[in-house]
Amino acid sequence: MTQVAERLQPWIAAIETRPQSPTRWLQELRDKSAARFAALGFPTVRDEDWRFTNVAPIASTEFQIAGEAKVSQAELDSLPYTTARYRITVVNGRFAPELSRLLDLPVGVRAGSLTAAASEHSDVVPRYYGQLADFHGRSFVALNTALAGDGAYLYIPEGAIIETPIEILFVAAGDSASQAMTQARTLIVAGERSQVRIVESYATLRSGTYFTNSVTEVFAGENAIVDHYKVQQEGLDAFHVATMQINAQRSANVSTHSFSLGGKLVRNDVNAVLDGEGAEVTLNGLYLA
């Protein structure tokens, strides 16, 4: 077995033992992305896009898929920037309804589990999930698509104007002695002429080494306005690799502002497609070294 194959073997084993999705199209997508990750392997500094980011510490660590963790409301309230009226909470990659704030959402807005939406909102989710963020040439996107068992889903209907920010909170929790990994997945679909402000937060209730691999897909319909903020506050020994894919239709306006305040090795890849005349995308970022 070659050195590269040996390095990939624990990751392939994790993929092979993952639970199967009951939704056929989603399982087929996961299988395709798993095969693609096996073919791609991890990027190295010899790859042009990664020559300044050495992910060898991630590739050489045998991370285990993060298990379920009990998190109390008091623990969640102790985290900074979690005071939003509306909140989708995801703990170790799994939607946590008891820790979310989704009562009295505006009419037509859907928010919650991405896995549930794959079957319950089947007229929308298959059109965008795994279609915006391409896994064919991106190792970490392929890994996320293969392993993400759940995630956050937010749908804003056509013409809806949401004046109150909606938070999507990803929490890393559990035994600090374990080297756990979480595949954080988010799908945001804003219909034509809709307006929404979103805060995508990453926080931790554990210490030690862990790995968050995040993929966020954002679709903005014609004349939609999406104002997105990402606040990343992982532990100081954590690894955080994120991909954000934006598709802005005609005259849509999307802005995203990223704040990286934690993590041992952090990378944010943001890709935007201006898919129509008059589309605008603004990308801002700030990090604390």
Side-chain angles (χ1 to χ4, degrees):
M1 184 179 291
T2 66
Q3 184 178 5
V4 173
E6 289 176 351
R7 187 173 65 174
L8 282 180
Q9 191 55 41
W11 299 85
I12 301 301
I15 291 173
E16 291 175 345
T17 57
R18 74 199 191 283
Q20 299 289 296
S21 171
T23 307
R24 183 176 177 179
W25 70 264
L26 182 54
Q27 185 58 46
E28 290 177 351
L29 179 69
R30 296 175 72 191
D31 290 343
K32 289 178 181 177
S33 58
R36 193 59 189 147
F37 172 75
L40 289 170
F42 286 99
T44 71
V45 291
R46 292 189 297 273
D47 298 304
E48 180 63 26
D49 289 346
W50 292 83
R51 62 195 183 100
F52 297 118
T53 308
N54 187 354
V55 299
I58 297 174
S60 61
T61 303
E62 293 191 16
F63 290 102
Q64 304 297 316
I65 297 175
E68 294 186 18
K70 291 185 178 180
V71 174
S72 69
Q73 187 62 56
E75 288 178 302
L76 213 62
D77 291 341
S78 70
L79 296 171
Y81 313 119
T82 59
T83 58
R85 176 182 175 186
Y86 300 125
R87 182 176 67 204
I88 305 169
T89 303
V90 181
V91 178
N92 288 356
R94 300 168 180 85
F95 172 61
E98 72 281 2
L99 298 173
S100 300
R101 298 172 181 161
L102 300 175
L103 296 177
D104 304 321
L105 282 170
V107 176
V109 174
R110 294 190 181 219
S113 166
L114 183 52
T115 296
S119 57
E120 297 172 1
H121 211 189
S122 58
D123 57 328
V124 173
V125 177
R127 293 165 53 192
Y128 306 108
Y129 183 80
Q131 308 305 312
L132 302 182
D134 179 30
F135 60 80
H136 292 90
R138 299 174 185 164
S139 301
F140 285 99
V141 176
L143 179 65
N144 178 286
T145 307
L147 284 177
D150 198 2
Y153 176 60
L154 178 60
Y155 171 79
I156 310 299
E158 183 177 313
I161 299 177
I162 313 302
E163 297 181 352
T164 302
I166 298 175
E167 181 183 25
I168 301 173
L169 174 62
F170 286 92
V171 180
D175 182 8
S176 297
S178 65
Q179 294 178 318
M181 65 174 169
T182 297
Q183 309 300 323
R185 190 80 184 211
T186 303
L187 175 61
I188 299 167
V189 179
E192 295 181 10
R193 304 184 313 282
S194 65
Q195 297 181 27
V196 64
R197 182 178 299 123
I198 301 159
V199 180
E200 182 181 346
S201 302
Y202 293 81
T204 184
L205 291 171
R206 55 162 293 166
S207 58
T209 300
Y210 65 94
F211 171 41
T212 300
N213 182 27
S214 167
V215 174
T216 300
E217 296 173 295
V218 179
F219 177 84
E222 291 188 8
N223 296 289
I225 298 175
V226 178
D227 193 15
H228 173 270
Y229 299 82
K230 177 182 177 182
V231 182
Q232 182 274 110
Q233 296 186 107
E234 303 278 17
L236 294 180
D237 292 318
F239 300 102
H240 183 96
V241 176
T243 301
M244 183 177 188
Q245 185 69 47
I246 300 168
N247 183 290
Q249 297 287 291
R250 184 174 65 86
S251 298
N253 189 312
V254 180
S255 59
T256 179
H257 317 274
S258 176
F259 302 86
S260 291
L261 307 176
K264 184 176 184 179
L265 187 156
V266 177
R267 175 169 171 132
N268 289 295
D269 284 338
V270 183
N271 311 285
V273 175
L274 306 182
D275 203 7
E277 183 180 354
E280 294 185 28
V281 174
T282 300
L283 310 176
N284 289 320
L286 179 147
Y287 67 88
L288 179 63

